[in-house]
DNA sequence: GCTTGACTTCGAGTGCACTCAAAGCCCCAC
DNA sequence: GTGGGGCTTTGAGTGCACTCGAAGTCAAGC
C-alpha cells in the first residue's frame, strides 16, 4: 500500500515510527495538528518525510507540556505560510521561557526531595532513636 | 471558630494558605492524602502546623507530577508510623530519579527549541529570501 | 474464494484531578 | 435575628488527551 514512487508511508508505519496509535494520528488530523494527509488510490492516507519531521516537533512541544490547543494554533500559523514567521517565533520564545521556569521549579523540588532523603537516611541509620527535630519538621507522626 | 488555645486553623484558612479550595481539601481528606482532621466543639475541622507542613510537601510532590494515587500510598505509609521509614525512603528515591529524568528530558527539549528559535531568527532577518535548507528541515511549508 | 489485516468514519467512553451544585443543618459574632 | 462560614452527603459536570468500539470497505496472500 505505500506509494513506492514517492517514499510515502502509511498511517500504520507512521504509528510505529512515532509511537502514537493510528487513532491518535487521525485525531490529530481532525484537530488540525496534522494537515489533512494526501491519499493513495485506495483512499489511504500517505505521509511524507516532512510530515514525520513535523510530527516529531509536535511531540517535542507536547513533551514540554504545551497543550494541544496551542500546538493547533502554531500549526494553523504554519499552514498559513511565511507571513506568520514572526508570530511563530513569538510563540516559541514564550514557550521557551515557560520551559525555563518549569525546569527551575523542578530543580527546586529536586533539592527539597534531596534534603528529605538525607533526613530519612539519617533517621534510618540512627534506627531505633525516637523522632528528632528534623523528623518533626518533615514527616512527623503526631502520636 | 479557630481553636485559639491550640493555634489551630480552619479549613478556610488552610485554603487561603495553600491556594487549594476547601472542596479540594475535603477531597484530599476523603482520598486519604490528608489524615482526617480533628474537629472543634462545633464539628469544624481544625488544622495544626504539622498539617500545613505535610500539605506543603504534598504540593511539592504534586508539582513534580506525582499522581495522587502515589501520594496517597506515601501518606498511608506515613500514617503507619516509623516502621515504614524504609518504604518511604524507597518511594522518595524512585521519585527523585524520575524527576532527574524529567529534568534532562526538558533540557533536551529546551535545546531543540533554542535551535529552532535561532533558525527562525535567521529566517526573519534574511526576510524575503525563499525557504532554505534549514527551513525545510524544521517548519517547511510544502507548497 | 476466503481469510487476514489494514484501512475508513463516527461517536461514545476513559482516567485524572478536580469542581460545583443542591439541600439542609449548625453555630458564633455583630 | 441575620449573615457568614462551616458542616454533611450525593451526584453530576469539566477539561484534557486520548482510547476504543462498531460497522463496514478493500487489496493481497494462501
Amino acid at each position: 500500500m505505500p506509494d513506492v514512487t514517492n517514499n510515502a508511508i502509511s498511517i500504520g508505519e507512521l504509528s510505529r515510527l512515532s509511537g502514537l496509535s493510528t487513532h491518535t494520528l487521525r485525531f490529530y488530523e481532525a484537530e488540525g495538528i496534522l494537515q489533512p494527509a494526501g491519499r493513495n488510490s485506495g483512499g489511504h492516507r500517505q505521509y511524507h518525510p516532512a510530515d514525520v519531521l513535523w510530527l516529531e516537533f509536535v511531540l517535542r512541544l507536547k513533551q514540554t507540556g504545551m497543550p494541544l490547543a496551542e500546538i493547533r494554533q502554531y500549526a494553523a500559523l504554519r499552514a498559513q505560510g511565511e507571513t506568520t514567521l514572526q508570530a511563530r517565533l513569538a510563540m516559541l520564545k514564550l514557550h521557551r521561557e515557560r520551559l525555563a521556569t518549569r525546569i527551575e521549579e523542578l530543580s527546586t523540588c529536586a533539592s527539597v526531595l534531596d534534603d528529605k532523603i538525607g533526613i530519612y537516611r539519617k533517621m534510618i541509620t540512627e534506627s531505633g532513636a525516637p523522632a528528632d527535630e528534623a523528623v518533626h519538621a518533615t514527616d512527623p507522626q503526631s502520636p
Side-chain angles (χ1 to χ4, degrees), chain A:
Chain A
M1 318 80 180
D3 185 341
V4 183
T5 65
N6 216 357
N7 69 355
I9 62 173
S10 72
I11 194 169
E13 283 162 306
L14 185 57
S15 165
R16 258 156 258 139
L17 271 177
S18 64
L20 299 175
S21 69
T22 58
H23 279 301
T24 300
L25 291 171
R26 284 188 282 256
F27 170 75
Y28 279 6
E29 184 176 308
E31 293 291 298
I33 285 163
L34 300 179
Q35 286 181 287
R39 305 300 177 107
N40 67 12
S41 53
H44 291 193
R45 286 172 180 78
Q46 31 183 32
Y47 295 96
H48 300 278
D51 298 317
V52 178
L53 290 173
W54 167 241
L55 184 56
E56 271 166 14
F57 183 62
V58 165
L59 293 182
R60 281 265 175 233
L61 292 179
K62 257 187 56 61
Q63 202 178 14
T64 56
M66 187 185 279
L68 288 196
E70 214 164 305
I71 299 178
R72 170 168 50 239
Q73 199 184 324
Y74 185 90
L77 289 173
R78 177 171 170 270
Q80 284 172 55
E82 286 192 24
T83 56
T84 64
L85 280 176
Q86 299 270 7
R88 277 184 271 166
L89 176 57
M91 282 189 78
L92 293 182
K93 279 165 74 178
L94 182 67
H95 189 60
R96 179 64 181 86
E97 271 171 47
R98 285 187 305 198
L99 187 49
T101 305
R102 180 79 183 128
I103 290 173
E104 272 173 47
E105 212 177 85
L106 291 185
S107 300
T108 303
C109 290
S111 303
V112 170
L113 219 43
D114 284 339
D115 288 353
K116 190 114 177 170
I117 288 171
I119 291 167
Y120 264 79
R121 270 200 227 281
K122 220 176 126 193
M123 283 174 66
I124 287 169
T125 53
E126 293 169 359
S127 210
D132 63 2
E133 277 315 295
V135 178
H136 205 70
T138 52
D139 254 23
Q141 248 330 84
S142 353

